[in-house]
Amino acid sequence: MAQVQLKNVVKKYGALGVVHGVNLDIAEGEFVVLVGPSGCGKSTTLRMVAGLEDITGGDIVIGDRVVNDLPPRERNLAMVFQNYALYPHMTVRENLGFSLKIAKKSQPEIDRAVDEAANILSLTPLLDRKPGALSGGQRQRVAMGRAIVRQPEVFLFDEPLSNLDAKLRTQMRVEIKKLHQRVGSTVIYVTHDQIEAMTLADRIVIMRDGHIVQVGTPLQVFENPVNTFVATFIGSPPMNLLDGTVQAGQVVLADGTTIPLPPGLHIADGRRVQFGVRADNIMPEGHALPPTAHMAFVDMAVTLTEPLGTETLLYATLAGTEIQAKMLNPRPVSPGETMRFGVALDKCHIFDADTGLNLRG
Amino acid sequence: MFRAKLPPWLVLLLPAFIIILAVVAIPLILSLYSSFTPYHLTRPDTLWKWTGSFNYIKAASDANFWKAFGRTVLLLTIALNTEMLLGLGLALMVSKVTRGQRALRTAMMFPMMFSPILVGFQFKFIFNDNVGLVNNALQSLGLTDVAIPWLVDGNLAMFAIIFAEVWTSTSVFAILILAGLFAIPQDPLEAAKVDGCTPWQSFRFVTLPFLMPFIYIAMAIRSLDVARAYDIVQVMTNGGPARRTELLWTLIGRTGYVDARMGYANAMGYIAILMSIGFTIYFFLKLQTARRELGMGEM
């Protein structure tokens, strides 16, 4: 186990900058998820930690060693790749034991480590098969097993679940989490799937265009997004954003509808803002959570419903913007029906219309 | 009016049958038949005299035939392995080149573009003991005072032939192995790096197993080529001196066309072809094993 530090890490391909000065401290045993849309530099950052990409500037420290110029084999880490990257000509057993064989460990030692890893990941019946004869989920487990066997200081995961179907992904997510609780190694995990990020991470690092936008626990980034990018990227469905102007402590929307500012916020009149509210905080009356001290009410016509069982997702139009709201204890709603929605103001956010920054600070 | 009532499938297949008969089947049957006769080109009536397996027994008990056979196998072994190693090295180096790789690949194929006869003449000149480049260079560098009889001494002549053969055909291996290198998925190589492999270990345990099918394909193609080697040898040494570089096909060619003993030549030819088929099957089985190793399935 080791801590990992990224100090002002920069990656450029020629003149093209991909990662612009990333700073990140990862504690021993911490599970950190780098998340962001494709092309945000998260995979490049991970590959720099792995040593598969050179770094153009800055320092990467693993444990207490600066590893900038060390080849991957001297960094004592293990990586799980998106396409599994198994050795197709080796059996599962040989795949698992390969790194130990390279490290010139004795055969009994290799066997013990391989059997243990196979046991943890229920791979024992598959040990003598070749990767070609395995399903996607099994290959993914072998890839993880290969990482476990080495007992590395740091685990790196590069979108490991993105090639699996939805059901298997959920299952493997749980296995990865269990695995981390069991071995307790430092983990850096890259994904573009915010649900994976939320469910797995001790801390989430949200990246965009080669910059870190926000770092925090899943709840922190969910409840206090620093800008509209994080607000719409984290959480499903994404946060609703409504354009408006502040007038006398209220947000005036495009069609003249007014919603009071969330409590504790004082914003000068005339400032153009975006009012942000999650679907969980705008619910139709009678199908909502108990009202809080700061509620506002709007009438909206429902355009579409998505029943999810315990709740129904309602699509409605407010001031020309389509927004999503949740309905608890659902009843059938027909499109066009106008309902009265309660907005929990203390959970809402105001973003600057130009910079996108959260004005709650 | 007579109208043939041939079934349509036969009509449709007939052109193909006729071509195959004319081009392949009849010559093949004729040559096979003549190998059981004492057929002499200058005495056509000998074609009708059946002697059974006489020619085959004669070939099997002919020391010259077996020496030529052994020399051909030796040439195959040394030339193929040398070409494979050099081609592998060449391919590995070229694959690392980032600029001008296309031009390099083309240049690499130049030796293949020359007629083997001309290559033979060129090397005959290069290895000539009086005016050849090699002796000239060695003497100018002061490495030797005497003229080395490259094409006269049996072993040296064999070496010169192998050298010319390797010069011509290393690029076949290089091109095929290069194609293999481009087809290798990068992920397992990266996994190997992270797993702790040195560059050599990555090559040995990941790259090479991926390349083996390509190497065996090249081997199979080249084994057919080298087993029928005739032109370069004919030009450079004419099988001499005193049969010391005689290969199967130079011997067969001499027997058939110089001595006009076509029946006997055909018998030796069939033995040579069996050897070629043997090599092809061997490399094909190796290829299948290598593909199975990689989980690429049966062919």
Side-chain angles (χ1 to χ4, degrees):
Chain A
M1 267 187 280
Q3 55 171 3
V4 179
Q5 285 177 296
L6 280 69
K7 296 177 184 165
N8 204 20
V9 170
V10 174
K11 176 71 190 180
K12 283 183 183 161
Y13 293 107
L16 178 72
V18 181
V19 175
H20 312 278
V22 161
N23 285 291
L24 188 60
D25 276 2
I26 299 167
E28 265 185 45
E30 195 177 16
F31 197 125
V32 165
V33 175
L34 307 184
V35 66
S38 23
C40 72
K42 55 191 191 301
S43 277
T44 310
T45 306
L46 189 78
R47 291 169 59 83
M48 286 193 285
V49 174
L52 294 172
E53 301 276 355
D54 298 331
I55 67 174
T56 315
D59 284 315
I60 294 178
V61 183
I62 298 176
D64 44 18
R65 293 186 304 163
V66 176
V67 298
N68 295 3
D69 300 317
L70 292 183
R73 65 174 184 278
E74 288 171 32
R75 296 191 183 193
N76 194 17
L77 30 80
M79 184 155 171
V80 177
F81 293 81
Q82 179 175 0
N83 298 317
Y84 323 130
L86 301 180
Y87 308 119
H89 53 292
M90 300 183 197
T91 61
V92 170
R93 183 188 298 280
E94 288 164 338
N95 262 287
L96 293 177
F98 183 66
S99 61
L100 299 182
K101 184 178 147 196
I102 291 297
K104 302 210 160 53
K105 293 280 191 324
S106 71
Q107 196 56 44
E109 205 175 335
I110 296 176
D111 289 342
R112 204 177 324 117
V114 168
D115 287 340
E116 195 191 330
N119 217 355
I120 295 174
L121 295 163
S122 354
L123 288 170
T124 312
L126 308 174
L127 277 175
D128 294 316
R129 291 211 203 159
K130 294 255 172 79
L134 301 180
S135 69
Q138 290 167 336
R139 288 183 203 183
Q140 190 57 62
R141 287 215 298 277
V142 177
M144 276 166 55
R146 200 167 58 177
I148 301 176
V149 161
R150 302 192 55 200
Q151 302 189 311
E153 292 189 284
V154 182
F155 277 102
L156 307 177
F157 288 87
D158 188 7
E159 309 218 15
L161 306 184
S162 54
N163 286 355
L164 303 179
D165 63 55
K167 193 176 167 192
L168 209 49
R169 204 179 303 163
T170 317
Q171 205 178 316
M172 291 302 294
R173 211 164 64 202
V174 176
E175 286 201 33
I176 291 177
K177 193 149 194 174
K178 276 186 193 157
L179 179 70
H180 178 243
Q181 283 169 356
R182 183 173 177 145
V183 293
S185 295
T186 311
V187 174
I188 309 178
Y189 186 108
V190 162
T191 180
H192 62 265
D193 179 350
Q194 55 92 17
I195 296 179
E196 263 172 47
M198 292 289 285
T199 49
L200 286 171
D202 291 331
R203 265 198 308 160
I204 293 183
V205 177
I206 298 151
M207 293 184 68
R208 181 168 68 159
D209 298 337
H211 295 279
I212 291 183
V213 182
Q214 187 172 8
V215 181
T217 65
L219 281 185
Q220 279 169 357
V221 296
F222 183 78
E223 288 175 353
N224 294 303
V226 290
N227 58 19
T228 50
F229 172 73
V230 177
T232 50
F233 192 78
I234 297 291
S236 174
M239 186 185 281
N240 301 300
L241 295 175
L242 295 157
D243 292 322
T245 313
V246 176
Q247 286 294 341
Q250 294 200 313
V251 179
V252 183
L253 303 182
D255 66 345
T257 313
T258 57
I259 303 175
L261 284 173
L265 263 179
H266 302 286
I267 297 168
D269 282 2
R271 188 159 181 183
R272 293 192 309 108
V273 296
Q274 285 189 302
F275 182 87
V277 57
R278 291 195 186 278
D280 317 67
N281 304 124
I282 177 164
M283 294 179 167
E285 266 189 319
H287 299 274
L289 294 170
T292 60
H294 304 277
M295 294 297 285
F297 291 93
V298 287
D299 291 328
M300 292 190 294
V302 175
T303 54
L304 190 79
T305 61
E306 280 185 346
L308 300 171
T310 54
E311 59 194 32
T312 291
L313 204 55
L314 302 177
Y315 288 74
T317 311
L318 180 58
T321 308
E322 182 170 78
I323 72 170
Q324 297 168 44
K326 259 182 201 165
M327 178 191 212
L328 303 182
N329 309 312
R331 65 166 171 86
V333 178
S334 45
E337 187 177 334
T338 300
M339 300 175 87
R340 190 169 173 77
F341 289 82
V343 180
L345 288 176
D346 46 348
K347 302 271 191 187
C348 293
H349 300 270
I350 302 292
F351 302 96
D352 186 280
D354 299 318
T355 62
L357 288 178
N358 192 335
L359 295 179
R360 213 192 271 276
Chain B
M1 200 177 98
F2 172 77
R3 196 145 170 243
K5 283 272 165 56
L6 292 173
W9 61 267
L10 187 55
V11 176
L12 290 170
L13 284 175
L14 214 51
F17 274 138
I18 293 173
I19 291 172
I20 288 174
L21 274 177
V23 177
V24 182
I26 293 177
L28 204 65
I29 292 165
L30 202 67
S31 66
L32 184 63
Y33 164 77
S34 75
S35 73
F36 294 100
T37 70
Y39 182 42
H40 202 280
L41 283 182
T42 56
R43 291 198 304 274
D45 56 304
T46 50
L47 187 57
W48 310 112
K49 195 174 154 199
W50 180 267
T51 55
S53 56
F54 177 79
N55 283 331
Y56 289 90
I57 293 168
K58 192 171 150 196
S61 51
D62 183 351
N64 281 331
F65 174 78
W66 286 113
K67 278 184 193 160
F69 189 95
R71 246 177 245 118
T72 309
V73 174
L74 184 79
L75 175 71
L76 258 169
T77 314
I78 297 180
L80 286 193
N81 283 301
T82 314
E83 284 170 23
M84 192 272 281
L85 289 176
L86 291 178
L88 181 62
L90 211 59
L92 286 172
M93 284 193 285
V94 170
S95 74
K96 296 285 179 208
V97 175
T98 47
R99 198 177 294 186
Q101 199 195 60
R102 212 176 271 261
L104 256 180
R105 290 206 303 261
T106 314
M108 209 162 74
M109 291 168 73
F110 278 172
M112 290 165 69
M113 298 176 190
F114 299 118
S115 154
I117 302 273
L118 291 181
V119 174
F121 278 124
Q122 186 58 39
F123 278 97
K124 191 176 188 176
F125 164 65
I126 289 174
F127 283 111
N128 186 290
D129 41 5
N130 291 318
V131 296
L133 287 181
V134 177
N135 276 352
N136 244 310
L138 290 178
Q139 286 165 357
S140 303
L141 289 170
L143 293 174
T144 177
D145 301 328
V146 294
I148 300 170
W150 288 106
L151 297 174
V152 179
D153 178 272
N155 289 332
L156 287 178
M158 203 64 202
F159 167 82
I161 288 169
I162 290 173
F163 191 94
E165 182 63 46
V166 169
W167 182 86
T168 327
S169 301
T170 291
S171 49
V172 178
F173 277 88
I175 294 291
L176 280 165
I177 292 174
L178 197 59
L181 280 174
F182 287 140
I184 293 182
Q186 288 307 301
D187 283 13
L189 282 171
E190 292 191 335
K193 277 190 202 168
V194 178
D195 263 352
C197 284
T198 59
W200 161 249
Q201 287 167 326
S202 297
F203 173 76
R204 166 73 187 77
F205 294 114
V206 183
T207 309
L208 200 56
F210 268 108
L211 287 181
M212 283 328 277
F214 292 87
I215 289 176
Y216 285 127
I217 289 172
M219 284 274 192
I221 295 173
R222 289 292 303 145
S223 73
L224 285 175
D225 260 357
V226 178
R228 61 164 201 216
Y230 176 83
D231 28 30
I232 288 185
V233 185
Q234 184 65 27
V235 170
M236 282 176 75
T237 63
N238 192 15
R243 291 183 182 258
R244 275 183 229 132
T245 55
E246 189 86 292
L247 300 181
L248 270 180
W249 286 102
T250 57
L251 176 65
I252 294 166
R254 197 185 322 283
T255 310
Y257 297 110
V258 179
D259 305 346
R261 288 148 62 204
M262 198 44 99
Y264 184 40
N266 278 340
M268 291 195 289
Y270 274 96
I271 300 179
I273 284 170
L274 284 180
M275 179 193 72
S276 283
I277 293 175
F279 270 106
T280 311
I281 291 176
Y282 171 74
F283 287 124
F284 199 74
L285 290 178
K286 287 290 218 180
L287 170 66
Q288 273 189 324
T289 319
R291 284 174 61 92
R292 211 175 301 124
E293 288 270 295
L294 287 174
M296 289 161 95
E298 303 297 315
M299 294 216 307

